[in-house]
Amino acid sequence: MKNFLPGPTEVNPEILAELAKPVMGHHTPEFRDLISQLKSRLQYIFGTENEVITLTCTASAALEAALVNTCKEKILVVSNGAFGERWLQAARSRGLASDGLVLGWGIPIPPYEVRRLLDRVPYDTVVMVHGESSTGMLNPIEPISELLKAHPEIVFIVDAVATLGGVELQMDKSRIDVLVGASHKCLALPPGVVPLGLSPRALKRSKSAKQKGYSFDFNLWAESWHENKVVGTPAVPQLQAMLTQLDRIQDESIQVRWKRHKNMQELTIHWAEKNGFIPFPPEDYRLPSVSCLRPEVSRATSPIVAALTERGFLIDSGYGKLKGRTIRIGHMGDWTTEDIKGLLDHLSQVST
């Protein structure tokens, strides 16, 4: 079975073999050396000189940790899909004062609306999703980071779960304070480990945070990580596998990886336009790692997904309120354009 889901995605056999190796103790010199090697490789992927840690948890838990570590008085969550809505729900469930600039699914974020809100309300934290995988939408970071240059007091949190390692993004250049990634999408690793970039501004804010607790205290993690240590027992096999995969990514180069993801997306969009499907997002906002496609003539998509599964290919029949009305294809991780061509050939046969 070939996995083209929007995550978790296919994992290379070489990486799976790493998971089968003996588990090292997390207080050993060998493990400290592992952490030391991970740090520089993660900084390369993130495009940062800041601290980058890894947490053993879901990406949702890591982003919730970002909220409680950085919110001082009030959060602005910018949302145009399921995951933006989730972060607003997470903030409110924690009792954090929060507003949402809630747009329709697939509607581009208007920077002038963000500017209007920032000028009216003294927000101290802004959250947005870079790659909204529910709709296959890419939300440009630069227009928002440019606005935030006039607000040095604001901590900027970016959900890069569906983009880190596959879509161009540089933490320092884009004035991002907390960058939340994921292991199981563009990095093509098993789920369960979240790489997290932390700026000095985020760590300073975290020091006075009242709800951060112990296990997800960013400063405690950053201090431990700086010494090649961890706060609690992590998923050691996944970290061993991560080191091997990050070496493979460096060998390819992150720029080439970004380009490969873009090439796979272009193949998919070209196929869609010739086979009766329409990309859900507008043309300039399509995500290089995930395509969300809807039939030109409305029909159920679950039978298409089921027929493709019988042929040995996994894709998705939509997320949330788009379930059963769209298909989502994860052209991410270690897949190539030739792999995508093979998938699309079969998809042509089952979607007519």
Side-chain angles (χ1 to χ4, degrees):
M1 190 69 70
K2 294 185 177 181
N3 182 353
F4 291 89
L5 294 171
T9 192
E10 193 87 355
V11 179
N12 189 283
E14 179 185 353
I15 303 306
L16 294 176
E18 287 292 321
L19 296 171
K21 289 184 176 180
V23 179
M24 67 177 73
H26 67 293
H27 294 304
T28 63
E30 292 79 11
F31 182 77
R32 295 184 68 175
D33 182 60
L34 170 65
I35 297 298
S36 176
Q37 293 183 70
L38 280 174
K39 288 194 295 189
S40 61
R41 288 157 177 80
L42 286 169
Q43 287 175 318
Y44 168 73
I45 301 295
F46 275 69
T48 187
E49 296 181 3
N50 295 328
E51 203 73 71
V52 182
I53 64 173
T54 66
L55 300 176
T56 299
C57 61
T58 65
S60 294
L63 202 133
E64 188 170 334
L67 295 174
V68 296
N69 270 269
T70 61
C71 178
K72 188 176 180 181
E73 297 293 339
K74 198 164 193 178
I75 301 172
L76 173 64
V77 179
V78 183
S79 168
N80 59 357
F83 293 99
E85 291 175 1
R86 179 181 294 186
W87 308 142
L88 183 59
Q89 181 183 359
R92 289 173 174 170
S93 73
R94 283 283 193 161
L96 302 173
S98 51
D99 290 336
L101 175 56
V102 181
L103 308 162
W105 284 29
I107 301 299
I109 296 168
Y112 65 87
E113 283 292 340
V114 178
R115 181 190 296 113
R116 182 180 63 83
L117 289 169
L118 294 179
D119 290 343
R120 278 180 38 199
V121 183
Y123 296 109
D124 54 67
T125 308
V126 171
V127 184
M128 71 175 287
V129 179
H130 185 218
E132 182 56 78
S133 59
S134 64
T135 58
M137 186 155 190
L138 180 67
N139 291 316
I141 296 295
E142 294 306 323
I144 307 306
S145 63
E146 280 297 316
L147 292 177
L148 293 179
K149 288 178 180 178
H151 298 271
E153 74 285 359
I154 292 179
V155 170
F156 188 26
I157 302 174
V158 172
D159 169 349
V161 170
T163 56
L164 181 72
V167 181
E168 185 171 359
L169 181 63
Q170 298 187 58
M171 181 177 178
D172 292 354
K173 182 180 176 182
S174 296
R175 195 221 171 270
I176 298 170
D177 294 302
V178 184
L179 185 60
V180 182
S183 58
H184 62 287
K185 292 185 183 279
C186 296
L187 294 181
L189 286 159
V193 175
V194 181
L196 199 74
L198 302 169
S199 76
R201 181 170 23 229
L203 291 171
K204 181 179 179 181
R205 180 72 61 77
S206 174
K207 286 182 178 179
S208 59
K210 298 176 181 178
Q211 288 197 42
K212 61 187 175 182
Y214 175 84
S215 296
F216 289 128
D217 180 337
F218 282 175
N219 278 281
L220 185 58
W221 270 99
E223 290 163 8
S224 298
W225 200 257
H226 187 71
E227 297 178 358
N228 300 327
K229 297 178 181 179
V230 290
V231 175
T233 308
V236 176
Q238 281 89 334
L239 294 181
Q240 293 175 252
M242 177 176 278
L243 180 60
T244 299
Q245 178 68 343
L246 294 182
D247 282 340
R248 295 176 75 244
I249 292 173
Q250 278 196 300
D251 288 343
E252 181 183 18
S253 95
I254 192 64
Q255 292 80 11
V256 171
R257 195 173 182 88
W258 291 337
K259 179 61 176 173
R260 177 166 54 78
H261 279 68
K262 184 65 176 174
N263 290 342
M264 291 191 291
Q265 177 215 33
E266 289 173 352
L267 275 173
T268 305
I269 298 302
H270 181 73
W271 174 90
E273 291 170 345
K274 289 186 173 296
N275 287 272
F277 284 84
I278 302 171
F280 193 85
E283 184 173 354
D284 293 335
Y285 298 89
R286 293 168 186 169
L287 184 55
S289 54
V290 178
S291 286
C292 179
L293 311 172
R294 58 183 176 87
E296 288 180 356
V297 178
S298 181
R299 58 172 168 151
T301 56
S302 297
I304 298 172
V305 173
L308 200 59
T309 301
E310 291 180 1
R311 290 169 174 251
F313 296 88
L314 292 176
I315 65 169
D316 181 78
S317 60
Y319 189 92
K321 63 185 181 183
L322 299 179
K323 188 74 173 175
R325 299 164 50 202
T326 59
I327 59 173
R328 292 192 306 159
I329 299 172
H331 31 73
M332 58 169 57
D334 291 339
W335 289 126
T336 66
T337 53
E338 290 305 310
D339 295 318
I340 293 297
K341 288 177 183 177
L343 167 70
L344 296 176
D345 284 344
H346 284 273
L347 188 53
S348 295
Q349 297 171 43
V350 302
S351 62
T352 53

